[in-house]
Structures are given as structure tokens and as C-alpha cells.
Amino acid sequence: MMGKPTFVIVGASLAGAKAAEALRERGFDGRIVLFGDEPEPPYERPPLSKGYLMGKQDREAIFVHPSQWYTDHEIDLRLDTTVTTIDRAGHAVTASGGETIGYDKLLLATGASPRRLDVPGADLDGVLYLRRVEDCERIKHTFQHSSRMVFVGGGWIGLEVAAAARDAGVQATILEPGELPLLRLLGPQIAPVFADLHREHGVDLRLTAQVTEIVNSGSGKAAGVRLADGSLIDADAVVVGIGAVPNTALAADAGVQVDKGVVVDVALRTSDPDICAAGDVANAFHPMLGKHIRVEHWANALHQPAVAARSMLGERAFYDRVPYFFTDQYDLGMEYAGYTEPGAYDDVVVRGDLGRQEFIAFWLADGRVLAGMNVNVWDVNEAIQQLVHSGSQVDRGALADPDTPLDQLVTG
């Protein structure tokens, strides 16, 4: 292509905005076109289930940059616009209005969408999901006009929104299909902490609960949830949080490799060398783990774009940060660093007091820390990340001892 190159970013998300920022910071002076299918400029999602949902943050606080920033940095921000096709051979994308824009490099930051509940009544008014700012505002409005709500799914989103509901004075029932919320992630030793937390705050936690129907009030509005055992739980609204599905259709339709997300290498390049992906949609090879993982958390959307930008610029780059996320529920704050799955660890070590909800938990395999979680214990997560990243074998007793500084345990 003649003249200065054009880089197109699909997804005006945190990842998309940070990629545009990184490109300008690294001296790219070509054209940047940033497409977003929402009317809002790029914003961060954690406040939607935390501070903004609870009224502790102003609306302006959620945005990645002030609106003027995009003008000042010559970012062609196209809001309320969907990219419908990618022509890889022609190096062009087509937008919903029919316009075609050529690209030299393309970044996919298309994120994920909530997994939908598939039972009768799931499309009734009052069945809510949380992904976008408009969803958050709808749920905030519901808090003000409801006395009782049901939350389908005991994952992070369900737990955080239920905590916000209780903070607003709304009765909350959580329906968890497993034996405990977060059991798959945290295991049987640590998962009870969050079950106990919600019970302590008046949540009706129903375990091994299978939803069979959202009950119609008779006027097209949800009035409750029926379970497989025949029981009925009355509700003014139902919030569904049963996971998310990566938005891979655009990539798949273009013939870009897709497998549980858009597949990318350590440099966040897809099977097409001129297309990168970052954020929730990217199933990225992680050199520390030796395999591909897709992480739906804020830290990836924040940090991956700088690596993608370098790759788009032809620079050597790789993404090897330790996965990280956090939660705030009631008076419990938590940070988690690392990555593990059921069956991948053989030991759990606790430093502190589970009952007081003030502790650090470590998941280990062969004496090496795979992941660590600090709960109401602060200024330790960096040391936990160092432990995870080092792959050091650690002394179990020293790991459990609060008087042993964590940074002293890093030997590799």
C-alpha cells in the first residue's frame, strides 16, 4: 500500500484502546482505525461488577481515556460500528455501514459475550446479563426497584453482583449447579471461604441447583426460577452469570485459526502473520506453562496489547506475564496470580486463617507454586507472582509460615 500504513483494531475495548495507545507510544505515525460496536468509547469492565455497579465510582471513571484523547492522538474511533467481514487476501475489513477499509496490520480485540441460559422463559423481561455498561446500568436500576433477586451461577460475576445486591438491601439467592461456588478453580479446601462469606451476608445459597425454567409473571416478565426438584424461587429479576463465549466468528469466517478462542503464538500473532489478537478472545501460547490458555480477566486486556502492538510493528515481542485477577465482595478483597486446573496440583498450602478470611493460599505441584491467592492480605502479590514465575521448589513449612518473607523463597 502507498503512503503511511493503516492499522485497524476491531474492538473498542480496554484491549483495543491500550493497543492504540501502545502504537502511538512506540512512534507509529500511520493511520489507526478503532472499531467498536457500542456507543460508548472504550471502558474498563471490572467496575461494572464492582465500584460502578455499587455507586462507588462515577461513570467517567470507567473510561480508558477521555474522549478528547482519541482526537489528540489521531485515532479514528468508529463507535456503534460492527466489522462484518475480513478480506485477508485483499487486506481489508468491511464495516456494518458497508465501508471497506484497507489494513496493513489488523488486531482482533473482539472480547467475549455472556453464555446464554437455555431454558424456557430465558428470554423474558427481567432476565439480565452483565457484560456492557448498559447491562450494569440496567442492573443498578433493578436494585432500586426490587426486593428479591436470583443469581444463576456462582462464578465471579454472579458472586460480585450478588454482593452488590446485598449492599443495596436486596434479598439474594444464588443458584450454583456445583457442590460449591468456584469449586473447579479453588478446590474443596478454599472454595468454602466464598460460600461462607455470602451466607454470612444473608445470601440464600442453593448448591447443586439445576434451573429448568424462568417463570413468567403472566405479563412477559420474570417472576421466579423453577428448579429440577420442582421448587420455585420467587424473584423480581434474574441475573445470569454462567460464563462467557469468545467472539471468534469474525476470525473463523475469515479462515483464521480458532480453537477455544483465536489461536495466537507467544507474540500474539494469529495464523495470519498480518493479524494479531489480544484480550478475552485470544487463546495465547504461554511460555511459562508451555501451552495455550485463554484468560478472561482485566490484566490480560491491560497488558497484552503492548505486546500485540510491538508485533504489529515488526518488533520482537512475547507475552509471558503471570495471569492475574482480583475480586471485591463485601469486606473481602482478593488477588489471584498464576494458573492451574483440577488435577494439575497435588498440594494446597495456607498461610493465615481461613476462618477469619485473612490468608494466602498456594496451589503446588511437585513442590512448585502454580498459583497463589491473597485474601485480605496486601502487598504480597508481586512476591507471589515471582514465586509462580520462577518455578522454584519451595519448602512447604516456610511457605505456610507468616514470619518467612515470600521473596526469600524464590531461588530460581
Side-chain angles (χ1 to χ4, degrees):
M1 296 182 181
M2 300 297 291
K4 291 182 178 181
T6 295
F7 285 5
V8 170
I9 302 170
V10 183
S13 54
L14 172 61
K18 296 303 285 188
E21 177 184 330
L23 288 169
R24 289 297 187 229
E25 286 182 346
R26 299 196 72 79
F28 179 68
D29 64 354
R31 185 185 183 195
I32 298 177
V33 185
L34 175 56
F35 286 99
D37 63 1
E38 297 184 55
E40 308 290 346
Y43 56 86
E44 301 199 37
R45 298 194 191 277
L48 305 188
S49 61
K50 300 179 178 72
Y52 183 55
L53 178 63
M54 298 175 71
K56 296 179 179 179
Q57 283 179 287
D58 294 333
R59 198 172 196 275
E60 289 305 309
I62 72 174
F63 295 107
V64 182
H65 300 296
S67 296
Q68 187 61 34
W69 182 90
Y70 300 95
T71 301
D72 293 345
H73 290 81
E74 297 184 328
I75 310 297
D76 185 358
L77 180 59
R78 308 287 189 91
L79 299 177
D80 245 344
T81 305
T82 302
V83 172
T84 56
T85 58
I86 300 170
D87 176 4
R88 290 169 54 205
H91 272 67
V93 299
T94 300
S96 48
E99 181 181 9
T100 297
I101 295 178
Y103 67 83
D104 293 88
K105 297 290 182 179
L106 173 65
L107 174 66
L108 299 177
T110 49
S113 296
R115 190 181 301 278
R116 297 283 158 169
L117 186 64
D118 184 17
V119 298
D123 58 349
L124 290 170
D125 184 25
V127 178
L128 309 173
Y129 295 81
L130 179 58
R131 181 67 186 180
R132 301 183 172 208
V133 65
E134 63 195 42
D135 300 328
C136 175
E137 289 168 350
R138 189 174 297 117
I139 293 172
K140 286 173 72 172
H141 177 80
T142 303
F143 286 169
Q144 297 168 6
H145 297 85
S146 301
S147 61
R148 55 194 178 184
M149 295 176 65
V150 168
F151 299 85
V152 180
W156 295 116
I157 292 295
L159 296 181
E160 289 179 357
V161 180
R166 293 298 297 132
D167 186 71
V170 178
Q171 294 179 26
T173 299
I174 296 175
L175 304 178
E176 164 56 41
E179 295 178 0
L180 283 169
L182 307 174
L183 181 61
R184 178 176 171 79
L185 174 66
L186 302 182
Q189 187 171 351
I190 308 301
V193 170
F194 288 88
D196 293 344
L197 173 71
H198 281 268
R199 288 184 175 123
E200 289 166 7
H201 286 83
V203 172
D204 181 4
L205 177 59
R206 308 283 186 98
L207 303 177
T208 64
Q210 300 295 325
V211 175
T212 59
E213 179 189 6
I214 307 297
V215 177
N216 193 330
S217 66
S219 59
K221 189 177 187 306
V225 177
R226 192 176 303 281
L227 304 182
D229 63 7
S231 60
L232 174 65
I233 303 169
D234 294 331
D236 302 312
V238 178
V239 177
V240 179
I242 56 174
V245 180
N247 296 325
T248 58
L250 184 66
D253 290 347
V256 174
Q257 185 183 1
V258 168
D259 182 11
K260 302 175 183 176
V262 176
V263 177
V264 294
D265 63 14
V266 70
L268 304 182
R269 295 172 301 218
T270 72
S271 56
D272 183 319
D274 292 327
I275 303 177
C276 291
D280 289 359
V281 77
N283 186 13
F285 183 81
H286 199 291
M288 181 184 77
L289 301 170
K291 63 180 180 181
H292 283 80
I293 61 169
R294 190 177 68 84
V295 179
E296 294 174 2
H297 292 299
W298 164 86
N300 260 27
L302 179 68
H303 297 297
Q304 280 188 343
V307 173
R310 291 180 63 183
S311 291
M312 294 168 77
L313 292 169
E315 301 175 14
R316 185 174 179 273
F318 60 94
Y319 188 79
D320 66 345
R321 294 182 71 99
V322 174
Y324 168 91
F325 66 92
F326 68 98
T327 190
D328 295 304
Q329 300 172 36
Y330 310 110
D331 52 358
L332 183 148
M334 180 278 279
E335 296 175 288
Y336 181 104
Y339 184 85
T340 187
E341 296 175 329
Y345 59 90
D346 55 32
D347 194 13
V348 177
V349 175
V350 175
R351 171 185 292 213
D353 190 330
L354 291 177
R356 291 179 56 195
Q357 298 166 359
E358 189 173 311
F359 63 91
I360 308 172
F362 304 91
W363 289 261
L364 293 82
D366 299 322
R368 295 177 171 83
V369 177
L370 304 178
M373 182 178 80
N374 50 296
V375 174
N376 289 339
V377 177
W378 304 111
D379 301 322
V380 295
N381 197 264
E382 184 176 339
I384 293 171
Q385 293 193 40
Q386 290 172 354
L387 268 176
V388 172
H389 207 281
S390 71
S392 305
Q393 282 198 320
V394 297
D395 179 84
R396 193 181 191 281
L399 194 63
D401 181 6
D403 293 326
T404 303
L406 291 177
D407 55 11
Q408 292 185 9
L409 301 177
V410 180
T411 58

